[in-house]
Amino acid sequence: MSAGLTEAEAAAELERLAAEIAGHDRAYHEQDAPRISDADYDALVRRNRAIEAQFPHLVRDDSPSKRVGSAPAEGFAKSRHLAPMLSLDNAFADADFTEFAVRIRRFLSLSETEPLHFIAEPKIDGLSVNLLYERGRFVKGATRGDGIEGEDITANLRTLKDLPRQLRAPFPDLIEVRGEVFMDRADFVAFRAEQERALAQREARKTNGGKLGAAVTIPVNPRNAAAGSLRQLDASITAGRPLKLFAYAMGQASEIPVDTHEHWLDLLRRWGFSVNPLSTPVTDAAEFQRKMASERAALAYEIDGVVYKLNRLDWQQRLGFVGRAPRWAIAWKFPAEQTRTKLLRIEIQVGRTGALTPRAVMEPVFVGGVTVTHATLHNEDEIARKDIREGDTIILQRAGDVIPQVVEVVDKDRPGRGPPYVFPTICPACGSHAVREGEDVVRRCTGGLICPAQTVERLKHFASRGAMDIEGLGEENIEQLHAEGLVRSPADIFRLREHAARMRLWEGWGKGAKGETKKVANLLAAIEARRVVPLERFIFALGIRRIGAQNAKLLARHYQNIGTWRERMLEARIIGSEAREELGSIQGIGPSIATELVEFFAEAHNLQALDDLLRYVTPEDAAVLDAADSAFAGKALVFTGTLETLSRAEAEARAELLGAKVTKSVSKKTDFVVVGADAGSKAAKAAELGVRVLTEVEFRELAGIAAT
Ligand code: IVH
């Protein structure tokens, strides 16, 4: 719930949601590999919207409510839709639909007695496409993409037999027709079997050393199969896939040839499109919804709900859009399909950031159109809350989506039920401690650099542009070097020289087809060039959680030297130690960041990896501008009260630039206290301890800031 959030919490949460939802959008639209269920996705979107409704001034430019879908992937030309392709708001219950109708009446100032006519269309879970017709000829077709711009897949769409290349006259000069490309269930099952055979043959060729040919992917559901088929760079592959198309909507049009949606569907049929025969005018949406829910399983294709569209186009026009969805249409989703199965065991996966994610391994079961063997268990608390144990019979739910979820256990009272599940506190990938911090529901491995599950991703970060910036050591090369066993830790990168001869034997690394490639030599030279790096880059490259470029800079500025930093971090492991307090007093380093640092240094493996790395890399002391002549070089400075001619941030930045350490509290170790207006106890404490007090003007003078 959004209730009770402070403004700052709301802003932080909106930022988090924007990033999270964008990530899921990319997974869904660009990689065709959703990571969460539609229901969970919808919940995130709803939460985002609820918070935005409460704090309208916090709505972000990159808010998910302003975006639809995701940007086009590489490989196809981009294609801008003439009219944007929007999304639909969802209804889940009768009350949601009633509210939708009430909103329409209110917006149009219609009386209670004025009838509202809707057209119902089954909502197929496929891929929406935009089809441009000029003078009746199909000239361009695109995926939805981010709703504004999609991928030009004209050649692929031409292979669909449901797509008329030429409309039957009469037609407007220019019109965009929208519809859904999908695969029937039976076609999907056959296609998947075919892909599985192809994959097996490919594996066999691999062992025999033959030519492999194109990669083969096994689609997880019909939507995935349709998406993969439509986005082939070679249209002849699309032509061989059993794709269908139902047309349903209008985009830009030079002239609108009809007055109702019902007539629009008639017109589409006349033009030669295939329109879902179940589309129909309804008087009672709730009744139609129930009818479709009961007939759903018997349909040839998967549907996840019904779309209801207001029939009168003049009303549609007046209602317009809000955010990313029209006010005149709604998608009423079906509840998730459920079934029972047995939970065989719980396994733990370790993600890139060290998050331990529990997964249910189940007896295979058919639900929501596919056979599933795994389900997400979300996190430790969810398992405890639902009291899920290995061997339980569970209710499994899958809502037209990919990752099924465990709803509940049905045989908790059975005799001989095993003990409650104990979530591991040791990382299954590396044996380091796995800890939960504060309110975080996620337990994370603290193994950092030595955890194999995290290693590859962390190595990528280490070498990346913002970090060590090792040219030629991109993601693919790191994966290969790791797979070949040459690079397991950052220090291994600096030992690669010893393996140069071996690397030159790899395909594409030594002599390429087009003569000598210098790949190995170039890479080794790029690595050599990074044996001396600025301290802040080095700290950032370690990939410690929450230590982004900004925090790395703060740490580098404060500690200035790698040896000092390392030493103080080790001391800071002791709560109450001076070093811990020092860490906590650095402006911008909050308690959770401090904890993260301390935990990193508390793992012996991390320290080993760091020291190993330091045999090869020399981090440069943090640059201190003019520090030699500065009155503040190496001095501890505290600001208190309100500065009048400088912002606090600017004053602190300047002091740090001159070599000062800016801290929050006054102690015997403080050299200067800069006192602004309305200074309180800190000024008094300074006087008491005999610390030198500076006025704002004096500070400006000593800091060399010109008088205003
Ligand atoms: S109408 C403004 N009609 O649902 C009109 N969409 O959440 C927007 N969909 O991207 C689309 N069946 O992929 C419409 N009969 C139908 C649909 C339908 C499936 C999908 C479509 C769209 C998404 C909107």
Side-chain angles (χ1 to χ4, degrees):
M1 285 307 297
S2 56
L5 288 185
T6 65
E7 186 163 329
E9 286 167 342
E13 182 69 346
L14 288 177
E15 182 178 359
R16 188 188 71 77
L17 285 166
E20 186 175 348
I21 292 170
H24 292 310
D25 283 345
R26 278 194 298 277
Y28 186 82
H29 292 284
E30 284 173 32
Q31 293 139 18
D32 302 315
R35 292 190 301 238
I36 57 169
S37 71
D38 285 356
D40 285 354
Y41 177 86
D42 288 341
L44 290 176
V45 171
R46 276 203 304 279
R47 176 165 169 77
N48 186 70
R49 220 177 282 169
I51 299 175
E52 286 183 346
Q54 215 181 324
F55 299 96
H57 62 292
L58 296 182
V59 173
R60 303 167 57 85
D61 279 340
D62 63 348
S63 163
S65 59
K66 293 191 181 174
R67 243 179 319 111
V68 204
S70 192
E74 302 288 324
F76 290 95
K78 290 177 182 174
S79 170
R80 211 179 158 81
H81 311 308
L82 299 179
M85 292 181 78
L86 293 124
S87 183
L88 292 168
D89 272 333
N90 292 329
F92 298 96
D94 292 37
D96 299 336
F97 188 87
T98 310
E99 200 185 301
F100 161 67
V102 167
R103 269 200 312 270
I104 291 178
R105 275 183 206 287
R106 204 184 307 133
F107 195 94
L108 298 175
S109 311
L110 301 178
S111 76
E112 291 268 338
T113 50
E114 183 90 51
L116 291 182
H117 296 289
F118 292 100
I119 306 297
E121 298 168 358
K123 185 169 185 297
I124 298 185
D125 202 14
L127 248 87
S128 51
V129 291
N130 188 27
L131 312 167
L132 177 63
Y133 286 84
E134 284 175 6
R135 284 179 291 280
R137 267 172 55 83
F138 173 60
V139 292
K140 190 156 86 165
T143 61
R144 184 168 82 159
D146 64 4
I148 304 295
E149 197 170 62
E151 294 164 314
D152 184 335
I153 50 164
T154 310
N156 297 2
L157 287 167
R158 278 190 209 283
T159 69
L160 300 191
K161 65 174 182 359
D162 294 336
L163 184 142
R165 316 285 174 79
Q166 174 70 47
L167 305 181
R168 264 172 240 145
F171 42 74
D173 261 2
L174 176 152
I175 191 156
E176 285 180 321
V177 173
R178 272 104 194 240
E180 201 81 359
V181 174
F182 64 98
M183 204 180 269
D184 277 345
R185 271 196 248 259
D187 287 335
F188 164 70
V189 171
F191 171 61
R192 191 179 49 187
E194 208 176 284
Q195 290 293 92
E196 274 164 358
R197 274 194 301 277
L199 184 64
Q201 281 167 7
R202 194 171 190 273
E203 290 300 313
R205 281 199 298 275
K206 214 186 230 173
T207 19
N208 299 332
K211 272 207 157 215
L212 290 185
V216 175
T217 47
I218 309 294
V220 293
N221 59 19
R223 179 188 193 280
N224 190 243
S229 301
L230 254 194
R231 299 168 84 200
Q232 293 290 330
L233 290 169
D234 176 355
S236 69
I237 298 181
T238 311
R241 304 278 169 88
L243 296 176
K244 293 191 170 165
L245 166 71
F246 279 147
Y248 50 64
M250 193 190 314
Q252 185 76 280
S254 56
E255 166 202 346
I256 297 179
V258 285
D259 53 359
T260 63
H261 187 64
E262 191 178 8
H263 290 150
W264 164 246
L265 295 183
D266 289 340
L267 183 58
L268 284 172
R269 285 191 198 96
R270 203 149 14 122
W271 279 345
F273 284 100
S274 176
V275 172
N276 193 322
L278 297 173
S279 300
T280 177
V282 289
T283 42
D284 185 341
E287 187 191 290
F288 188 78
Q289 190 70 16
R290 276 183 276 282
K291 180 166 156 319
M292 288 311 297
S294 67
E295 291 173 8
R296 176 185 184 190
L299 295 181
Y301 41 80
E302 275 190 21
I303 64 173
D304 60 355
V306 179
V307 182
Y308 295 90
K309 298 176 180 170
L310 190 64
N311 198 24
R312 276 177 65 162
L313 297 191
D314 58 335
W315 283 356
Q316 286 190 7
Q317 208 126 43
R318 277 171 62 196
L319 284 157
F321 301 86
V322 55
R324 55 181 205 166
R327 288 197 188 83
W328 44 265
I330 200 157
W332 191 343
K333 299 286 194 74
F334 295 129
E337 247 182 78
Q338 298 190 337
T339 189
R340 280 177 187 218
T341 186
K342 189 168 168 183
L343 172 71
L344 301 174
R345 61 194 161 80
I346 295 174
E347 68 181 22
I348 304 288
Q349 296 182 305
V350 185
R352 173 165 70 91
T353 60
L356 267 52
T357 315
R359 207 161 74 128
V361 182
M362 307 165 306
E363 261 170 20
V365 62
F366 192 75
V367 58
V370 292
T371 301
V372 298
T373 49
H374 294 89
T376 176
L377 291 169
H378 300 290
N379 57 54
E380 186 171 356
D381 291 354
E382 274 291 294
I383 299 179
R385 196 173 64 75
K386 294 176 180 161
D387 187 17
I388 298 168
R389 307 185 191 182
E390 293 182 338
D392 284 353
T393 299
I394 52 175
I395 291 194
L396 192 72
Q397 166 170 303
R398 187 175 171 277
D401 38 56
V402 172
I403 306 171
Q405 309 172 35
V406 176
V407 182
E408 61 176 342
V409 174
V410 291
D411 59 352
K412 281 189 181 158
D413 299 328
R414 73 178 188 280
R417 187 178 185 223
Y421 178 73
V422 181
F423 201 91
T425 53
I426 296 290
C427 170
C430 73
S432 300
H433 294 294
V435 300
R436 278 177 72 168
E437 190 197 292
E439 307 270 279
D440 200 353
V441 291
V442 178
R443 189 175 282 282
R444 286 174 206 275
C445 165
T446 53
L449 297 175
I450 66 108
C451 177
Q454 299 175 55
T455 306
V456 175
E457 294 303 322
R458 284 181 180 255
L459 286 168
K460 288 177 187 169
H461 168 80
F462 180 80
S464 68
R465 182 143 320 151
M468 295 292 281
D469 192 19
I470 303 176
E471 207 167 316
L473 199 51
E475 305 210 340
E476 269 180 36
N477 289 342
I478 288 189
E479 272 166 23
Q480 184 169 353
L481 289 164
H482 185 264
E484 298 278 355
L486 294 193
V487 175
R488 296 276 144 133
S489 76
D492 287 339
I493 293 173
F494 294 89
R495 289 190 278 260
L496 274 176
R497 245 183 320 176
E498 301 159 25
H499 307 287
R502 189 169 147 198
M503 285 154 65
R504 277 191 209 101
L505 299 175
W506 298 344
E507 207 183 313
W509 286 67
K511 271 206 171 106
K514 294 189 187 108
E516 181 78 12
T517 76
K518 292 221 173 104
K519 182 163 170 171
V520 175
N522 288 345
L523 178 59
L524 293 176
I527 292 169
E528 274 312 295
R530 291 293 178 268
R531 288 176 63 125
V532 178
V533 290
L535 178 59
E536 59 186 68
R537 270 184 186 270
F538 182 83
I539 294 177
F540 174 60
L542 295 176
I544 303 169
R545 229 178 124 231
R546 294 208 162 105
I547 307 299
Q550 194 52 37
N551 287 335
K553 190 180 281 183
L554 291 177
L555 293 168
R557 284 259 171 87
H558 184 89
Y559 294 99
Q560 292 180 6
N561 170 277
I562 182 71
T564 314
W565 181 58
R566 180 187 175 285
E567 194 178 306
R568 298 283 163 79
M569 291 303 100
L570 289 176
E571 287 167 22
R573 289 177 303 181
I574 297 159
I575 294 177
S577 64
E578 217 174 280
R580 181 68 169 254
E581 267 169 28
E582 178 185 1
L583 178 59
S585 74
I586 303 173
Q587 295 278 343
I589 302 285
S592 54
I593 298 171
T595 311
E596 214 60 71
L597 279 163
V598 167
E599 253 157 28
F600 179 87
F601 277 89
E603 285 296 329
H605 316 296
N606 289 339
L607 199 60
Q608 259 166 28
L610 172 64
D611 289 346
D612 191 12
L613 184 58
L614 287 173
R615 291 167 52 205
Y616 305 95
V617 179
T618 313
E620 283 175 304
D621 286 359
V624 178
L625 197 77
D626 296 330
D629 333 306
S630 150
F632 298 130
K635 304 285 193 222
L637 210 81
V638 174
F639 287 91
T640 179
T642 312
L643 300 181
E644 266 146 22
T645 61
L646 284 171
S647 72
R648 177 70 78 87
E650 188 185 349
E652 284 174 6
R654 184 72 190 184
E656 282 178 350
L657 215 57
L658 293 170
K661 289 174 199 173
V662 177
T663 61
K664 282 183 206 151
S665 55
V666 179
S667 73
K668 280 196 302 239
K669 294 202 166 168
T670 311
D671 296 294
F672 297 100
V673 175
V674 181
V675 178
D678 303 321
S681 61
K682 288 181 194 172
K685 180 112 184 255
E688 186 190 314
L689 294 171
V691 173
R692 184 162 168 204
V693 173
L694 298 178
T695 63
E696 184 170 344
V697 174
E698 285 168 327
F699 169 75
R700 290 182 70 105
E701 253 166 43
L702 285 173
I705 306 172
T708 44

